[in-house]
Structure formats: C-alpha cells, structure tokens
Amino acid sequence: MKERLYEILNEEQIHEIIPFLKRLTAEERKTLVPSIKKMEREISKIVMTKNSYHTVGSANQHSIIDIASFVCMDKKNFGKNYWSLFRNAEQAEQILEWGCPEWFSDFINESVDAEFTAFNYQDILGWTKKATFSPDLNCWDII
C-alpha cells in the first residue's frame, strides 16, 4: 500500500491517486498518514538556485499529497494543506463525491468565519445542495 503511494508520487501519476484511495478502507487510509507526512516533508524541502528557490516536489507531486492528506487525515493534521486542493474545482468535486471527511463542514465554517477560504460562494452552495456541507448559520451573514 505504501509502496503504491510512493510509486504514484514518484512517477507523478496524479490521475491514479483518486482511484487508489477509493479502493482503500478507512483503516487502510488511516495507516497511510505517517507515510503521507513523510512524503510531504520530502517534497517540501527547499532548493536554492542562483536566482530563485523552489521545492523539491513538482506541482503534481504536491497535488497528490494534498489529495491523500484530505482523504486520509483528520482536520487537525490536514489544516495547512487545503489551498491547492480547492483550486481545481473539478478535482475537488470528484473527491467530495466519495471521500468527504466528516470534519469538512466544520472546516469550511471555520474558514469562512476567519474570512480565510480557497473556495467561493458558488462552491459552497453546490456542496450544500449535495449535502456535502452543512452551513453553520452563525458563521454566515444570511438575512
């Protein structure tokens, strides 16, 4: 299982991460968390060149880790990783259809309350209609 995740990451097979995670049980996803954290540290190392700096990992590798983190981690461990996951609305929809964590509503409500979000009002309306998200009306200025 860990080996397959490493293979997906190292070969930048972003199209394989969702099918791979879908096949896993909740317990198997949970056991991947330490490996995901380790991989995230590895690809996040900074490389400095003469005129700039960047991370060791490619954009696809960061996306793979973000998806795996969202699906496998609890809210506390995932919190820092969400920006790039929600930049790709189609990808986020694919994940939320089957792998929506139980903490997702709290996560969105807290992000909106803090005025710190990577998703827009249309995204939130769509998730509400699909029952993926339950708004906390105390966080929303709804008249």
Side-chain angles (χ1 to χ4, degrees):
M1 194 171 44
K2 285 190 287 190
E3 295 79 19
R4 178 65 181 131
L5 183 58
Y6 271 107
E7 181 181 321
I8 291 168
L9 182 70
N10 290 331
E11 295 178 14
E12 299 187 39
Q13 299 174 341
I14 193 160
H15 62 281
E16 290 292 326
I17 189 64
I18 293 173
F20 167 72
L21 293 170
K22 276 183 170 181
R23 288 190 295 272
L24 302 178
T25 65
E27 191 58 38
E28 288 172 325
R29 288 192 296 265
K30 196 177 199 180
T31 62
L32 283 177
V33 169
S35 297
I36 294 167
K37 287 180 175 184
K38 181 180 178 189
M39 291 176 203
E40 198 272 330
R41 284 191 303 273
E42 290 171 5
I43 67 169
S44 295
K45 290 179 182 172
I46 303 294
V47 176
M48 297 188 77
T49 62
K50 185 176 179 181
N51 296 322
S52 67
Y53 61 93
H54 57 86
T55 62
V56 171
S58 68
N60 281 343
Q61 287 176 319
H62 284 282
S63 291
I64 289 166
I65 292 299
D66 289 349
I67 292 166
S69 297
F70 181 73
V71 172
C72 298
M73 293 182 178
D74 59 19
K75 185 175 84 169
K76 176 185 168 198
N77 287 308
F78 175 72
K80 65 180 176 54
N81 291 320
Y82 83 95
W83 281 104
S84 69
L85 179 70
F86 291 100
R87 265 189 250 140
N88 183 334
E90 182 181 319
Q91 180 182 10
E93 286 297 321
Q94 283 182 326
I95 296 164
L96 290 172
E97 285 174 7
W98 66 271
C100 186
E102 59 189 45
W103 48 263
F104 187 61
S105 289
D106 290 339
F107 180 74
I108 292 179
N109 285 320
E110 289 168 11
S111 297
V112 169
D113 193 38
E115 297 179 6
F116 185 71
T117 65
F119 26 81
N120 63 40
Y121 185 69
Q122 293 301 320
D123 295 330
I124 293 169
L125 277 178
W127 297 331
T128 303
K129 287 178 185 174
K130 292 178 184 175
T132 305
F133 165 67
S134 300
D136 176 354
L137 299 181
N138 293 323
C139 294
W140 300 80
D141 293 328
I142 299 174
I143 299 174

